Amino acid sequence: MKRLVSFLIAAALFICSFTAVFAEEQKEDAAGIYDAVSVILTESATGQVLYSQNPDQKLPIASVTKIMTLLIAAEEMKAGRLSMEDTVVASYNAFVTGGSVIWLNEGEKMSVYDILRSVVISSANDACVALAEHISATEEAFVNRMNKRAKDLDMTNTHFVNCTGLDAENHYSTAADVAKMAAELRKYDYYDEFLMTRLTYVREGTDRATQLLNTNKLLGYDGITGLKTGTTDNAGYCFTATAKRGDMELVAVVLGAKTDDSRFDIAEQLLDYGFNGFELFSPEFDRSQLHDVSVKGGVEKTVSVTPQQGLQCLIPKGTSGKITYLYDIRQELKAPVSVGDYAGKIIVLHGSDTLFVANVTAATGAEEQTFFKSFLIVLRGFFLF
């Protein structure tokens, strides 16, 4: 528990401090109002915001909604409760669903593989409803899961009414929340084949062969990995793009663009800004600064310490030379000491600004010295003598 609390504190400090560091740079380097209601650019693994414009405005998000539908399906497959080979039986509810469809008939059977690629590539609403009902029996029950998962992801400005994104009262999200669920979905590779497919068919070889056409016009972009378009009368033109170069994957969300082409242009500009202007940075701590810490009243007189691992952030390209470290390691801890107990911190600076604070914790433990333990030590020494 102590280690968890320490991690959360460090994560919070990191996010807050990084926002402060780059807030002004964002205004200067990526200035300009994009022709969309809301946009955001984040880095997938760290969640860092590199640019935003009205990121918390609640908006209809059209078929971008399906990112959450696909996330729940991916988690079901990971848990072993859903397989690509499973058979989905289309309901009347799926049959009457409008918008972009593959014309499922009531009672028609289709593999999860074909259903999923219909959702991913062609944004088929009827396939999406059939999938939701297959997983949760009813679309309503599935939507409840969507809202619960949104809460788990701290998507505080999101509420789903359906699994498709068709216009509905009280169905909304924000660019910031969409970026969170997009980053979560990109942890899974189940849809990689579909996301990169431009054109294919379901029911191929039959008189009901149906074309699946990918509407993502950035498929030729360097490093593109997805993700989802969406268009309705209320939402306008929406797009969530993900792209990866090296170890860095960016998420660009565009909501309420004026035209089909502009949503792709804006997303491409955001991705270019991120890849051209930033690089991932991992701190390299000086182990000689991480001295053993004395233990007051312990059987063991000292414990070794270790810094928090796996920390990364984005910094402007070519500025790693500005990184410095301040080591604040405690001189003494009071017994008992458990592995993971807080033992100090390392402040990572970019110039005069704090990038993040890495906790230093005990790598070894120390029991409290008691009269009985002291007696055993003396007794053991007597017999050894």
Side-chain angles (χ1 to χ4, degrees), residues 105-122:
N105 288 326
E106 182 181 5
E108 182 176 356
K109 297 179 179 179
M110 188 172 285
S111 68
V112 167
Y113 177 85
D114 282 342
I115 288 288
L116 280 171
R117 64 195 185 114
S118 298
V119 174
V120 175
I121 300 170
S122 195

Side-chain angles (χ1 to χ4, degrees), residues 297-299 301 367-382:
V299 174
K301 299 306 178 186
E367 295 182 357
E368 185 177 6
Q369 182 70 277
T370 63
F371 174 80
F372 181 69
K373 289 177 181 175
S374 298
F375 176 76
L376 288 179
I377 292 171
V378 172
L379 188 62
R380 189 180 300 118
F382 174 78

Side-chain angles (χ1 to χ4, degrees), residues 285 287 290 305-311 327 346 358-361 363:
F285 300 125
R287 294 286 173 173
L290 302 172
V305 298
T306 187
Q308 186 177 338
Q309 302 297 315
L311 293 171
Y327 294 84
I346 306 171
N359 282 335
V360 175
T361 57

